[in-house]
Amino acid sequence: MMASSDWIEVQRLAAEFQRTQLSSTLQKLSEKNCIEIVSKLIELKLIDVFYTNDGKEYITLEQLSKEICDELYLHGGRISLTELVPILNISYHAIESRAQNISQTKSEIHLVSGQLIDDDHLDRIAEEINENLQQSGQITVVELSKQYELPMEFVLQLIRSRLGTVIQGQQDKHDHHVFFTEGFLARNRARIRGALSAITVPTSVSTIIAQNKLPERLFFAFADELINTKRIQASLSGGRQINVATFIPEIHSRSQNEWIDNFLKQNGYLEYAALTRLGLGDPKSFCRKRFKDTSLLYLSSCCVGSNILGQIEAAIEEAISSQSWVEVLPLLPSVFDDEDAEQIIQHVLKTSQNIPEKDALVIGQSAVTSNSFVQNLKIVFKPMIEEKASEVVASGDYLQSLADQRNAKGKSFKPEQANEKKDRKEERRKKANEGKLGGGTQGRETKTRATKKKYGKGKNDSDDENEGDVVGTNSASLELEFMSIEEISNVLKKQENVSDAPDEFVEDIATRLYPSLQASFQEAARLAFEALLSSTSGQRRQTHSELQDRLQLLLQNIKQGEKAIQFFTSLDVQQQLCRHLLKTSGSELVNELVSYVSQDTSVASESKDLSPEARQKIISGLPQNVRVPLQGLHKATQGANVEEFISETEVALSACDVVLRKVDKKKDKAIPTQHRHLLIEQLNAAKDAALVLHVAVLLLFHTVTQTVLNASGRFVPQIITFLQSHLSPSTAELLSTLQGLVIQELTSKGDEELLETIRQKMEDLIPRVRETAVTFKKSATQD
C-alpha cells in the first residue's frame, strides 16, 4: 500500500493541475509571441532550427537528421535528396547539409551523387553483382555504373571492398575495371592454349581471336603466360595491337631466325621487303627487338650493319683526304636507293671521328667530295680569267659593257616612270615607319640556275654554293660572261681527277663554280681596266679608287641625312634641312666630281672648296657631254629635293665615267657609329655653350633615331622640340634651360653683370649636358 505521505503529495499535485487548467487565458503566449521568442533565440544562437517550406513549423537539426534516416530506412537504404524535399517539407539546401553531416558521422551511410545509400543496400547490390558475375563469368565496372546509376570509382571501390567475401572473383591485372571468375579464366585459358597449340605457321592474332571467338582482353595475358612458362613454344611479334601482332610458332621462327642471322652476317644488311615475304608484319620492329645488342642503322627500306658502314666511311675519308670525290651508291648493294645512300652518308659524316664534317660536301644524294676539292678546281680557271679579262679590256668590250649598263640604268629615270619617282620619298617614309632598315634603289632581282634533281643542293655546301644566285636582270644581265656552265663543264671534264665523273656530277660542280668564277672575272676585268686608266692618266693628283670612296661616302651621308630629316613632321623644317644638306654635303660631292673632271682640261682648279659661282664657271668650260649633266647636278644643290639630287648624281657619274662600287653593308652600318664618335669628340672639345648645345642635341638625335642629321645651329630649337617626346622630363628641362641661357647671352649685349651671371650658369650646366648626351641610351626612350 502507498504511504500516507505519498498519497497526500499526489492529491496536492492534482489540485495544482486543476487550478492551472482553470486559470485565466491571459497567461497563455500568443502565436506571434512564440514566433518572436523563437526568432530571438535563433538570433542569439541559443537554438539552431530550420524552417519548413510553408514557413509554419520549425524543426531542429537533430530531428531533421532523424527523419532523414527514417526515410532512408523506409526506402530500402537508398533515397535521393530531391525526393526528401517534398516528403519532409524542408529546403534542398538544409537536407543536403544534414545529409553531409550524416555521411560524416555515420560510417554505414554514404552520400553519393546526391543520394544517401547505406551499407545494407550496398550489400544487396554486391550480391546482385556476384550473381551476374557467376552467370556471365565476367563483368565490367562501366556496365555496372550504368545499371546502378552510380559513379565508376564508387562501384569499383564497392566491388574491391567485398571481393573475396560477398563477390567471388578476381580483378583483371591489365584492366582494373574488369572482373572475372576463376571458372571463366580457366575455360578461356584452356581454349587459348588449345588454339595456339594447333597453329604451326605464323598467324595474325586478329584471325586467331575471330575464328575461335576468344576474349581480346585475355588473349595477350594468357598467351604471354603460356609462352613464358614454355607451355607453348612460340613468340608474338608486332606488339600488343591485335591488328598488327602475329603469332609465330617456334618451329617456324627458329628456321626463320637462322635465315635472317645468316643473311645479315654474309651480306651486312637486311631488306624489309624480304622480311615481309617471310611473314613478318613489322620488319623494322622485329629487327630492333632481335638485334637490340647489335649496332644497326635503320633506313627507309633496309637496315645496315657496321661492315657496310665501315666501308662507306673508309671510302669517304679517303676521298676527302686525297681531295677527290666518291660516288657512294655504286658501293652499296643493288637494293639500296638514293634515299638510303643519302641517309648512310649523313650518318657517317655525323658519327665518324676521322672525317671533318665541315669540310665534307655532299653533291646530290649519293656523291661526296670536299670543299678543298672544289676550291682547287677554281685554280684551273685563274689563268683563263686573267687572260680573258685582259682581252675584253684591250678590245674595248669591257668599256662597252660598262656603257651599256649605264644606259640601262639611265632608262630607269625615263618620263614614263615620273609618277613612281614622285612617290619614292613616300615609299621610303613608309619603309622607315615599318622598321625596315637598309635596302634602297640598288636591289637586284636574282634567279637560280636549275640542275637535275639527283645532283641538287646538298649539305655543307661551300662558299661557292652560297654565291649560287646568278644575277638576272637590268645591268647585271649586260655583264660580260666569263664562261657558260656548259663551257665550265667541258673544262672540268678535261681534268684528270674529274674526267671519269658522271655528267650530272660535273654539271653540279660547274653550277657551283659559276658565280664565284663570274665574280672573279668581273673583279679581274675591273682591276685590268683601272690599271689601264691609271697608266693613261698618270698626271692626275688623285686615283680613281680614292675618288670612288669619297663620292660613295658623301652619297651615303646624304642618304643617311635624308632618313634623319624624315623624322620631322613639319614640311617647312624638312625643306630647310634638305636645303642645308644639299648646300653642304651636296656641294662637297659636286666639287669633288668637278675637280676630278677638270683635271685634264684648261679650266682645272687647284682647290676643291669651290663657291657656287666658281663651280659654275668651271662647269661652263667643260666638254658638252659632261657639262650638261654637271649643270643639272649643280642646279640641284640650290634646291631642296634630295631625290632629284640623287638622280642627277647618278646621271652625272655615268657621264663622267665614274662607276661606284657596290655599297659595303658593314661600312654603311658603321657610318652612324663613326659619326657618334666624331660628335662625342666635338662635344668634349667644345667650350662655347652654344656649340655644346648644338653638338649635344645632334648626339641625342642620333641616339634616339640611329640616323645621321646634318643641321646647323639655327635648327637647334626644332631638334629639341622633336626630342621632347623621347627624353625624360629632367633631360628635356636641362636642354631647354641651356637653350634659354644661350638666347639670353645673345640678347643681353652690353649688360656685363647679367652676362657674367648667365655665363656662370652655363658653365655649371655644360658638364651635365655633356654627360647626359654621351650616356643617354636608346632603351631609355622606349621606356
Side-chain angles (χ1 to χ4, degrees), residues 327-603:
E327 178 73 23
V328 173
L329 190 59
L331 304 179
L332 298 172
S334 58
V335 298
F336 287 71
D337 55 19
D338 291 336
E339 185 178 353
D340 295 330
E342 182 180 15
Q343 294 181 23
I344 290 175
I345 292 172
Q346 293 176 354
H347 174 77
V348 169
L349 294 179
K350 184 177 181 180
T351 58
S352 176
Q353 301 294 330
N354 301 323
I355 301 176
E357 186 177 0
K358 294 182 178 180
D359 192 37
L361 181 62
V362 181
I363 305 295
Q365 292 181 300
S366 60
V368 182
T369 183
S370 64
N371 288 322
S372 302
F373 174 77
V374 178
Q375 294 298 329
N376 290 338
L377 291 176
K378 293 171 60 176
I379 300 176
V380 177
F381 295 91
K382 187 174 181 180
M384 303 179 189
I385 290 174
E386 294 177 353
E387 181 181 356
K388 188 166 183 178
S390 300
E391 290 178 359
V392 296
V393 171
S395 63
D397 292 341
Y398 182 75
L399 185 59
Q400 182 61 40
S401 174
L402 294 180
D404 293 341
Q405 292 178 48
R406 287 196 296 269
N407 293 336
K409 192 174 182 181
K411 292 179 181 179
S412 62
F413 299 98
K414 293 296 182 180
E416 55 267 21
Q417 296 182 354
N419 293 333
E420 180 181 351
K421 182 177 177 181
K422 290 179 180 178
D423 296 336
R424 191 175 301 164
K425 181 181 292 186
E426 184 65 25
E427 291 176 3
R428 288 189 176 185
R429 186 176 300 170
K430 289 181 180 178
K431 288 183 179 179
N433 292 336
E434 293 170 2
K436 297 180 179 179
L437 300 178
T441 60
Q442 304 299 325
R444 294 182 177 179
E445 299 178 11
T446 60
K447 65 180 181 180
T448 304
R449 291 182 178 268
T451 59
K452 293 188 177 180
K453 182 178 180 181
K454 177 179 178 182
Y455 288 89
K457 193 172 183 179
K459 182 181 178 183
N460 294 335
D461 290 355
S462 64
D463 293 338
D464 302 317
E465 177 188 350
N466 295 331
E467 299 168 0
D469 291 338
V470 182
V471 176
T473 61
N474 295 338
S475 60
S477 62
L478 299 175
E479 289 182 351
L480 293 175
E481 186 180 43
F482 169 59
M483 281 187 180
S484 65
I485 293 180
E486 183 179 358
E487 292 172 337
I488 297 174
S489 300
N490 293 335
V491 174
L492 293 175
K493 289 178 182 179
K494 297 177 182 179
Q495 305 304 312
E496 182 179 356
N497 54 355
V498 192
S499 58
D500 57 343
D503 292 341
E504 294 85 355
F505 179 86
V506 176
E507 183 179 351
D508 187 273
I509 295 295
T511 303
R512 296 170 186 275
L513 289 175
Y514 180 88
S516 60
L517 294 178
Q518 183 67 15
S520 299
F521 169 69
Q522 293 296 330
E523 181 65 16
R526 185 185 66 80
L527 294 176
F529 182 70
E530 289 183 357
L532 180 62
L533 291 179
S534 178
S535 63
T536 57
S537 57
Q539 297 180 354
R540 293 188 177 184
R541 291 183 299 273
Q542 61 182 13
T543 65
H544 187 73
S545 178
E546 291 174 343
L547 175 69
Q548 286 177 315
D549 293 339
R550 286 195 294 272
L551 294 179
Q552 185 72 62
L553 180 61
L554 288 170
L555 196 57
Q556 287 177 272
N557 287 338
I558 292 172
K559 292 180 179 179
Q560 288 277 352
E562 184 192 15
K563 290 182 182 179
I565 292 172
Q566 302 304 320
F567 285 94
F568 294 92
T569 57
S570 173
L571 295 179
D572 181 58
V573 174
Q574 288 186 8
Q575 190 174 20
Q576 294 179 31
L577 287 170
C578 288
R579 184 173 284 106
H580 175 77
L581 176 64
L582 295 180
K583 282 186 177 180
T584 54
S585 297
S587 295
E588 186 177 354
L589 185 146
V590 179
N591 289 342
E592 287 281 355
L593 193 56
V594 169
S595 298
Y596 170 77
V597 174
S598 65
Q599 284 180 6
D600 291 338
T601 65
S602 59
V603 292

Side-chain angles (χ1 to χ4, degrees), residues 86-263:
I87 295 175
L88 301 179
N89 195 24
I90 299 295
S91 67
Y92 181 85
H93 174 71
I95 293 174
E96 183 182 27
S97 65
R98 295 316 300 164
Q100 292 176 351
N101 179 264
I102 292 171
S103 64
Q104 294 173 359
T105 56
K106 296 184 178 182
S107 60
E108 69 276 9
I109 298 178
H110 312 277
L111 179 60
V112 182
S113 299
Q115 302 178 76
L116 284 174
I117 305 175
D118 60 14
D119 285 346
D120 293 337
H121 183 77
L122 294 179
D123 290 338
R124 290 193 293 271
I125 291 178
E127 292 174 357
E128 293 179 7
I129 292 175
N130 185 59
E131 291 178 4
N132 293 336
L133 177 61
Q134 302 306 321
Q135 291 176 2
S136 61
Q138 66 172 343
I139 57 173
T140 63
V141 175
V142 176
E143 296 174 354
L144 295 176
S145 178
K146 294 179 180 178
Q147 178 181 350
Y148 293 104
E149 299 180 353
L150 292 174
M152 290 179 58
E153 293 300 324
F154 184 78
V155 175
L156 183 61
Q157 182 63 30
L158 165 66
I159 297 175
R160 282 179 173 175
S161 62
R162 291 164 175 78
L163 196 64
T165 54
V166 179
I167 300 175
Q168 301 299 322
Q170 67 180 34
Q171 191 175 20
D172 189 351
K173 296 180 181 179
H174 301 287
D175 188 353
H176 297 308
H177 289 170
V178 180
F179 294 84
F180 306 103
T181 62
E182 290 294 340
F184 178 83
L185 295 176
R187 288 194 303 273
N188 284 281
R189 183 183 290 106
R191 292 176 61 201
I192 293 174
R193 182 175 63 247
L196 297 182
S197 300
I199 297 175
T200 59
V201 295
T203 307
S204 65
V205 171
S206 60
T207 302
I208 299 174
I209 292 175
Q211 291 184 354
N212 296 278
K213 298 181 180 179
L214 300 175
E216 297 179 1
R217 58 171 55 92
L218 294 178
F219 178 84
F220 286 104
F222 286 156
D224 289 340
E225 178 185 340
L226 294 170
I227 292 173
N228 293 334
T229 58
K230 304 299 183 181
R231 178 63 181 80
I232 299 295
Q233 301 294 326
S235 63
L236 285 172
S237 67
R240 299 181 64 88
Q241 297 181 6
I242 294 176
N243 296 327
V244 178
T246 302
F247 176 79
I248 304 174
E250 185 176 355
I251 187 173
H252 179 272
S253 61
R254 188 183 302 115
S255 60
Q256 186 183 68
N257 291 339
E258 290 178 358
W259 184 91
I260 293 173
D261 293 342
N262 293 333
F263 188 91

Side-chain angles (χ1 to χ4, degrees), residues 289-308:
K289 183 178 180 181
R290 175 71 179 172
F291 304 104
K292 58 183 178 181
D293 297 329
T294 305
S295 178
L296 295 178
L297 174 61
Y298 295 91
L299 306 177
S300 58
S301 63
C302 60
C303 57
V304 187
S306 57
N307 292 337
I308 293 181

Side-chain angles (χ1 to χ4, degrees), residues 33-49:
N33 292 336
C34 291
I35 293 174
E36 291 177 351
I37 292 173
V38 172
S39 300
K40 188 65 176 177
L41 291 174
I42 294 173
E43 181 181 350
L44 296 174
K45 297 183 178 181
L46 297 177
I47 61 173
D48 193 1
V49 297

Side-chain angles (χ1 to χ4, degrees), residues 259-282:
W259 184 91
I260 293 173
D261 293 342
N262 293 333
F263 188 91
L264 178 61
K265 184 177 180 180
Q266 295 173 7
N267 299 279
Y269 73 94
L270 286 173
E271 186 184 6
Y272 299 149
L275 299 182
T276 303
R277 290 192 295 269
L278 292 177
L280 296 176
D282 189 356

